[in-house]
Amino acid sequence: MGDYFTIGKNDIENIYNEIRMRNERELTARRRKIFTEVPELEQLDREITSENAALIRRIVRLNPEDVNAAREEGRAKVRALRGRFNTLLSENGYTEADLTISYDCPLCQDAGFVDGHRCSCYKKHLMSLLYRQSGLTEILERENFGTFSFDLYSDQSADGKPSPRECIEYYYTKAKDFAESDELSGQSFLFYGSAGIGKTFLSNCIAKELMDQGHSVLYVTANQLFEDILSTYLMNSDPEQKDRVKPVYDLVYGADLLVLDDLGTEMTNRFTLSQLFEVINRRMIRNQSTIISTNLSLKQLRDEYQDRIVSRIVERYELFHFYGDNIRSKKKTEALTDKQ
């Protein structure tokens, strides 16, 4: 099983530890800068800390009936010091926020959990970890809307169909509109056609755009989905292994976009058929977006998979038929030519 589909608790904790340490370093640097510029602020800060500590020491030694009066007296001193501190801070162009730690996620304060439940930022960091471990981060830097080239597609029509270039320009526009929309509407796509003509590239374009916007995107091949994730989680008796794959299993049904690449390369059996239907159906019910790419034709899909699976795809997904010359081979040929 691919290591990047097994996520240990420490893997995620390390991400949050790094975030907290970075924010603490930034706070320390800001405090040092401000106190260097305005030394009196540092002195007042020390007096506030000292007065609070002295108050605690006094309260511990007092009789219960004297505690409230002592507490109010101490708090009044601290309020006066804090008032002078804030005034001086403002006069020098700063605010209290400049001396307060900043959180990447104010909701969970970079803890990853809120009231015992995973914070919304957890998925984002999990996706970042997955993409780093799988090497997809580097791929998306190369394959995105900005690097897409129409010049590799023929503008010659055949059999009365639009040319490959006309088709890819249309698909590109539709994909970009989807990726740049304000909200994901559950729109899903089937990219089908022969190998090497841009299906995965266009999927990567969408994935990169959505991830840049903060959406969670899970990219898996069919083999990875069924063998590395679903089979490991659903059919594994080892609780530790199940725990390590569970975050990714949850993303299959929780990611804003699921990209399922190379459908048709997996071993088809009752398990894969039932799980493919489950993934498609549950994400459809939840109005979540999915992209499925395959080298199979629609007829081959119907022959390979149950009708209830294919009918749902055909009825609810937008169908993009890719055809033309093998772009992958053309790129390799051009690269070899450039080296000569």
Side-chain angles (χ1 to χ4, degrees), residues 182-235:
D182 292 335
E183 293 183 6
L184 295 180
S185 58
Q187 185 177 6
S188 295
F189 302 87
L190 173 69
F191 295 172
Y192 70 101
S194 56
I197 49 179
K199 301 186 298 297
T200 299
F201 198 118
L202 191 58
S203 296
N204 288 340
C205 291
I206 295 172
K208 173 79 162 58
E209 183 68 29
L210 291 180
M211 289 177 67
D212 287 348
Q213 295 174 27
H215 291 289
S216 56
V217 179
L218 178 61
Y219 174 95
V220 290
T221 65
N223 276 321
Q224 289 169 339
L225 175 65
F226 297 116
E227 293 296 324
D228 294 345
I229 302 174
L230 298 180
S231 179
T232 300
Y233 183 75
L234 297 173
M235 302 179 70

Side-chain angles (χ1 to χ4, degrees), residues 44-53 78 81-82 85:
L44 286 169
D45 184 66
R46 288 174 178 167
E47 290 180 23
I48 291 169
T49 301
S50 176
E51 186 58 43
N52 279 322
V78 170
L81 290 169
R82 177 63 64 183
F85 182 94

Side-chain angles (χ1 to χ4, degrees), residues 270-283:
R270 290 178 62 184
F271 175 79
T272 57
L273 289 174
S274 66
Q275 289 305 307
L276 178 59
F277 176 81
E278 184 71 9
V279 170
I280 291 173
N281 199 50
R282 280 175 62 178
R283 291 188 61 84

